Amino acid sequence: MAEDVTVSEETLTSGLTLLVNLGKVILQKAKQDAEASLENFVPHKITTLFGLMTAGADFYKSIGVKKKSEAEAVWQKTYHRAAVREKVEELLQLESDWDSFLESVDRDLQTTDGQLSGVKTPDSLSPDTPFTDGRSGKSVTLDHVAELQASQTVLEARSLRVLVVSFGSFEGAQLWLEQTGCTFDMLLDPQRKVYRSFGLGSSYAKVMKFGCLLQYSEYGAVNRDFPDFPPRLLEDIYQMGGDFLLDEAGKVLLSHPCKSPLDRPTVKDFLRVVDAAGCSADL
């Protein structure tokens, strides 16, 4: 627990200094590459920003924590000290500069997130909406998926069914399911028709925002690897997602377009809506 972690002022300020300095170097290089050619920067060089995750993981390890929230708790305990406060403020300034840069990239490239953000969430999704089954590769509809699940007599009765929807390829879906061990049904929307109907576009600023990457650093802090995808199967990592709750007729009961990849409603949020609606639903 973070409240049990004791870190000397020297260790904390040293770790913060290194994190800030590395972050500044990464950001400066990204700005130079973007200024040279924004069109070349995005597909080929923007991923250098992910170097912040390694720097963040090293910082967490240096002060003996595993999470971003725990690191914040550590420096809050000694924030009254001038040296710590100065380094934390430098980190916050770096975060502001980092996010502002990525927002400018979104604006200059007119990413679809900005174009679709004002799209009104549909009131319902037709049961005839076509998808590709992520496990079998067969063409299916929401109605067909419901029929398949209803026929599985060994499946315990439940009011909520989770469906994972991805825009990726069938081969990529197979690899993701294998590496993550996900047991939920997966549907593929390769043309992103459903994504667009719910106003979900791509955004560099939201996917690579400073705070988000520092949370991803938590994987490195505990030596946990991300799913390993070959480059040919690595698709649009800047596509934004969302969580949506539909009833049996396809009526949208809850709509939550994500503000970042880590922005997700809780299970309790969904159960509260299901209980209020008094119906079974798809998530």
Side-chain angles (χ1 to χ4, degrees):
M1 299 292 291
E3 55 267 25
D4 301 324
V5 175
T6 301
V7 182
S8 69
E9 180 178 340
E10 181 181 359
T11 297
L12 180 56
T13 55
S14 176
L16 284 168
T17 297
L18 183 58
L19 175 59
V20 170
N21 288 344
L22 288 173
K24 286 181 177 178
V25 169
I26 293 170
L27 178 58
Q28 184 59 34
K29 181 64 167 62
K31 288 182 175 180
Q32 291 172 350
D33 289 338
E35 185 176 355
S37 172
L38 189 58
E39 288 71 20
N40 185 58
F41 168 68
V42 167
H44 302 299
K45 297 182 178 181
I46 192 172
T47 52
T48 58
L49 291 173
F50 286 129
L52 181 65
M53 293 190 294
T54 301
D58 290 341
F59 169 63
Y60 297 154
K61 291 178 180 179
S62 73
I63 63 172
V65 302
K66 298 178 180 179
K67 297 181 178 180
K68 177 175 180 285
S69 59
E70 293 175 350
E72 292 171 343
V74 167
W75 72 56
Q76 284 171 1
K77 289 191 296 186
T78 53
Y79 188 75
H80 61 282
R81 296 184 179 274
V84 174
R85 184 167 60 253
E86 178 184 351
K87 294 305 175 184
V88 171
E89 289 176 353
E90 286 183 14
L91 182 67
L92 295 177
Q93 183 59 53
L94 173 61
E95 178 175 12
S96 177
D97 294 342
W98 185 287
D99 292 346
S100 294
F101 165 66
L102 287 170
E103 288 167 5
S104 71
V105 172
D106 268 354
R107 286 195 302 271
D108 291 344
L109 292 180
Q110 298 181 330
T111 55
T112 56
D113 184 70
Q115 298 169 18
L116 295 173
S117 60
V119 172
K120 182 181 181 298
T121 300
D123 296 324
S124 64
L125 188 63
S126 170
D128 295 328
T129 301
F131 291 96
T132 299
D133 189 293
R135 296 185 186 275
S136 69
K138 296 180 179 179
S139 296
V140 295
T141 63
L142 290 181
D143 257 350
H144 181 57
V145 173
E147 291 170 6
L148 289 176
Q149 290 228 347
S151 67
Q152 296 177 5
T153 56
V154 296
L155 187 66
E156 293 183 358
R158 57 184 181 180
S159 62
L160 190 65
R161 183 167 80 251
V162 178
L163 297 176
V164 178
V165 178
S166 172
F167 58 86
S169 66
F170 175 65
E171 186 180 1
Q174 293 280 288
L175 183 59
W176 186 86
L177 289 168
E178 176 186 338
Q179 291 195 8
T180 62
C182 177
T183 59
F184 297 129
D185 291 319
M186 173 180 275
L187 302 179
L188 303 181
D189 176 28
Q191 303 303 318
R192 307 192 206 196
K193 293 180 179 179
V194 175
Y195 276 80
R196 287 194 295 272
S197 70
F198 281 99
L200 303 176
S202 293
S203 171
Y204 306 107
K206 291 182 178 180
V207 170
M208 304 186 76
K209 64 185 304 181
F210 193 85
C212 188
L213 293 186
L214 282 189
Q215 280 192 260
Y216 283 140
S217 296
E218 296 172 3
Y219 280 74
V222 296
N223 299 316
R224 180 181 173 187
D225 295 327
F226 286 95
D228 184 22
F229 276 75
R232 64 186 177 81
L233 294 180
L234 193 61
E235 313 222 19
D236 182 5
I237 62 175
Y238 308 106
Q239 170 67 56
M240 296 299 297
D243 294 87
F244 305 92
L245 183 67
L246 285 66
D247 67 11
E248 291 178 308
K251 179 181 178 181
V252 178
L253 303 178
L254 185 150
S255 175
H256 184 91
C258 296
K259 297 178 181 178
S260 78
L262 300 172
D263 171 35
R264 300 288 182 180
T266 66
V267 173
K268 289 184 179 179
D269 292 331
F270 288 107
L271 293 178
R272 193 178 301 115
V273 175
V274 171
D275 291 341
C279 62
S280 59
D282 291 329
L283 170 60

